[in-house]
Amino acid sequence: MFKKILISNRGDVAVRVLRACKEMDIKTVAVHSLVDETLMNVKFADESVCIGPNSPLESYLNVASILSAAELTGADALHPGVGFLSENEKFATLVSVNGVKFIGPDPKHLAMMGDKIVAKKTMAELGIPVVRGSNGEVKCVEEAIEVANDVGYPVLFKAASGGGGKGMKVANSQEEIPNAFKMAKIEAKANFGDDCVYMERYLASPRHIEIQVIADSYGNVVHLGERDCSIQRNHQKLMEESPSIALSAENREKIGDIVRKAIKKLGYVGVGTLEFLYENEEFFFMEMNTRLQVEHCVSEEVAGIDIVKEQIKIAAGEKLSFKQSDIRLTGHVIEFRINAEHPETFMPSPGRIDELYFPGGKGVRVDSHIYRDYVVPPYYDSLIAKIIIKGSDRSECIKKARCALDELAIDGIETTADLHRKLVRNQDIVDGKFDIHWLENNLKSL
Ligand code: MV4
């Protein structure tokens, strides 16, 4: 097992990884920007290194500085957390070259899933269901029209280097193709420096359902069920739950088996998530996240597995200690993302937290790095806490969530807590009647 892990991240996820390390008797190194010196993960870690100024480019994205910190402290492994460099193939390679174990998949799998066309083609070949569309890149308007006539309108243009929805354009008819194609290419170039686009049939009202997988280096692959992440705005998830109310036990088992077989054949090692659109009881692969995810806690609570500890064990060359048949998904879990943002406009709301009270009790988990008098800096992601609620069923979970969210008190800054208090009392949410567009369509009336 590793002796010392450097955690190249900040905030709640840095605290989360640190806790796993401590329980495993592994020494920890926190790295931080100037303003982050007062963070909880810095206080909890055995050692800490300042890696640069506040700008993410000069600190949490500063490869040279992070590698120096690893060398300086003699860390034998590095956990990248979520975001920042966690899916960067070049970073993962450089970490390894420096004799430090990168806690994540092989760089070749990071590269493969970073290219959405390659990812889709690979998954289709492995038996994963995908949306009908172009065979790779679409190079001109004539080709786009041919594809659209083949798969049927509406169609969607997507950026090959994309993800997160940027560079996506819908065309409802042939007349709309030239402009949609042109705009998709312009946005793709502007956002990713690559104007390569591809096409798919556009699904009008799907859910976002993702499958959590965990694979060791001996070919053992286990899935931990799904998470329904349909409640999102501007491609930022706000609420995630498991199990999905839309998925039957039969369809869960079917997609789980398909995913496990594919991941085994791929030779993927580590934790990962396959994101799907789900419409009319059919799954369509979108992308694969080759890292730990913010919402991993939802699966931890339904499956009773510590995903981060398993991730570290797998990186250290250990075998998974459980089989698929050992996994019992129990109860119902919902995660609420508390962001330092205005609950209606979603404008960032940095500043001092004057008063803080976290809810508690059975089935109430809070993953956070904030404390009273902590100043939320304006430079980073606005996530300040995750409230993860578990009930014996969905109805109990929602009731518990209402109580917990009412107990929660964060003063001094605006947060998304008020939005969540409304969501858990909304009839559509209670009935589970929503798709990926629900939140944006219902924000005004909430
Ligand atoms: C789609 C789609 C409809 N049809 N693909 C958005 C992010 C990117 N990962 C894929 N996305 C979508 N792909 C087809 N063929 C609708 C979306 C989409 C979406 C997906 C998941 C969660 C929220 C979303 C919000 C808008 C659009």
Side-chain angles (χ1 to χ4, degrees):
M1 183 42 71
F2 306 122
K3 295 204 161 44
K4 195 189 273 190
I5 294 179
L6 182 144
I7 303 158
S8 60
N9 215 298
R10 68 180 303 283
D12 70 288
V13 75
V15 173
R16 171 70 191 87
V17 175
L18 196 121
R19 283 178 177 145
C21 294
K22 287 206 159 180
E23 284 179 45
M24 296 170 82
D25 293 316
I26 300 168
K27 291 266 181 285
T28 52
V29 181
V31 296
H32 61 86
S33 65
L34 277 175
V35 72
D36 276 350
E37 196 180 344
T38 57
L39 272 184
M40 227 51 200
N41 60 299
V42 176
K43 201 196 288 279
F44 288 155
D46 294 299
E47 290 170 76
S48 64
V49 181
C50 179
I51 50 168
N54 298 335
S55 142
L57 272 175
E58 294 179 286
S59 50
Y60 302 103
L61 293 170
N62 185 340
V63 174
S65 190
I66 294 168
L67 292 176
S68 307
E71 189 176 338
L72 183 79
T73 55
D76 53 358
L78 179 146
H79 196 300
V82 312
F84 294 125
L85 296 163
S86 62
E87 294 182 289
N88 188 305
E89 170 213 359
K90 290 197 184 93
F91 177 65
T93 305
L94 276 172
V95 170
S96 300
V97 165
N98 278 265
V100 178
K101 178 71 192 177
F102 179 78
I103 303 176
D106 189 300
K108 78 170 183 230
H109 288 136
L110 296 177
M112 182 185 280
M113 298 309 163
D115 182 322
K116 306 306 160 191
I117 290 178
V118 174
K120 185 178 177 186
K121 189 162 180 283
T122 306
M123 287 302 181
E125 283 166 7
L126 291 167
I128 300 275
V130 299
V131 198
R132 270 165 54 82
S134 59
N135 189 6
E137 181 176 8
V138 174
K139 291 206 172 69
C140 62
V141 169
E142 290 69 35
E143 194 187 345
I145 291 171
E146 246 176 69
V147 173
N149 285 338
D150 182 32
V151 304
Y153 288 94
V155 289
L156 183 64
F157 290 93
K158 291 183 169 182
S161 304
K166 285 205 179 95
M168 293 199 327
K169 289 287 168 242
V170 181
N172 290 294
S173 63
Q174 186 161 327
E175 292 74 68
E176 292 181 15
I177 291 264
N179 197 48
F181 177 67
K182 190 176 96 191
M183 292 312 289
K185 275 182 105 59
I186 289 173
E187 264 189 43
K189 183 78 185 171
N191 284 292
F192 313 107
D194 171 13
D195 72 352
C196 175
V197 298
Y198 64 107
M199 275 169 82
E200 286 181 350
R201 184 169 66 84
Y202 177 66
L203 307 179
S205 176
R207 286 179 178 252
H208 172 140
I209 296 187
E210 54 185 36
I211 310 286
Q212 175 73 55
V213 295
I214 178 157
D216 68 18
S217 46
Y218 305 90
N220 303 302
V221 185
V222 172
H223 78 84
L224 303 181
E226 80 282 8
R227 296 183 289 256
D228 190 323
C229 308
S230 303
I231 301 300
Q232 58 85 41
R233 182 199 158 266
N234 214 1
H235 303 289
Q236 295 297 312
K237 295 165 187 163
L238 240 77
M239 212 179 110
E240 302 103 341
E241 65 177 316
S242 185
S244 170
I245 194 166
L247 196 55
S248 67
E250 192 191 338
N251 284 348
R252 175 174 303 111
E253 194 170 334
K254 226 161 79 185
I255 194 71
D257 285 347
I258 292 172
V259 164
R260 283 178 63 216
K261 281 202 192 90
I263 291 302
K264 186 177 164 78
K265 246 202 225 159
L266 185 62
Y268 183 88
V269 176
V271 306
T273 302
L274 283 87
E275 295 191 344
F276 293 94
L277 294 176
Y278 186 70
E279 196 176 72
N280 301 326
E281 304 213 15
E282 261 192 283
F283 279 97
F284 302 96
F285 172 79
M286 278 194 297
E287 25 194 286
M288 179 170 182
N289 297 316
T290 48
R291 52 166 162 82
L292 186 72
Q293 282 191 278
V294 171
E295 62 271 29
H296 74 278
C297 316
V298 173
S299 304
E300 290 190 323
E301 295 304 320
V302 281
I305 300 280
D306 187 316
I307 294 175
V308 181
K309 278 202 228 167
E310 294 302 327
Q311 186 187 24
I312 294 170
K313 284 198 253 174
I314 286 166
E318 292 186 18
K319 271 191 185 145
L320 272 177
S321 57
F322 47 82
K323 301 188 297 289
Q324 189 64 50
S325 56
D326 296 326
I327 303 293
R328 287 278 169 275
L329 304 171
T330 61
H332 196 96
V333 179
I334 307 182
E335 172 177 277
F336 301 89
R337 295 198 193 190
I338 310 299
N339 297 333
E341 290 169 3
H342 191 281
E344 280 151 28
T345 63
F346 298 94
M347 286 292 287
S349 179
R352 183 176 302 273
I353 293 169
D354 299 321
E355 212 53 72
L356 178 64
Y357 183 81
F358 277 139
K362 182 173 182 291
V364 179
R365 168 176 169 182
V366 179
D367 274 29
S368 176
H369 58 289
I370 63 169
Y371 49 87
R372 189 157 63 83
D373 286 337
Y374 173 67
V375 179
V376 179
Y379 313 105
Y380 315 107
D381 190 279
S382 63
L383 183 69
I384 52 171
K386 297 181 292 193
I387 313 284
I388 304 119
I389 309 291
K390 176 162 189 173
S392 56
D393 56 23
R394 193 166 185 273
S395 151
E396 193 198 52
C397 183
I398 289 174
K399 281 185 187 153
K400 215 185 257 286
R402 289 178 189 151
C403 299
L405 288 164
D406 284 349
E407 281 181 27
L408 174 69
I410 303 174
D411 288 346
I413 58 168
E414 302 276 6
T415 78
T416 48
D418 268 339
L419 173 62
H420 288 306
R421 289 178 187 119
K422 288 179 187 163
L423 289 177
V424 292
R425 289 171 177 88
N426 178 280
Q427 200 57 46
D428 286 348
I429 297 289
V430 170
D431 295 341
K433 288 186 183 141
F434 48 77
D435 63 12
I436 56 172
H437 305 293
W438 186 90
L439 185 57
E440 270 154 308
N441 291 338
N442 288 274
L443 263 180
K444 282 214 177 70
S445 60
L446 270 166

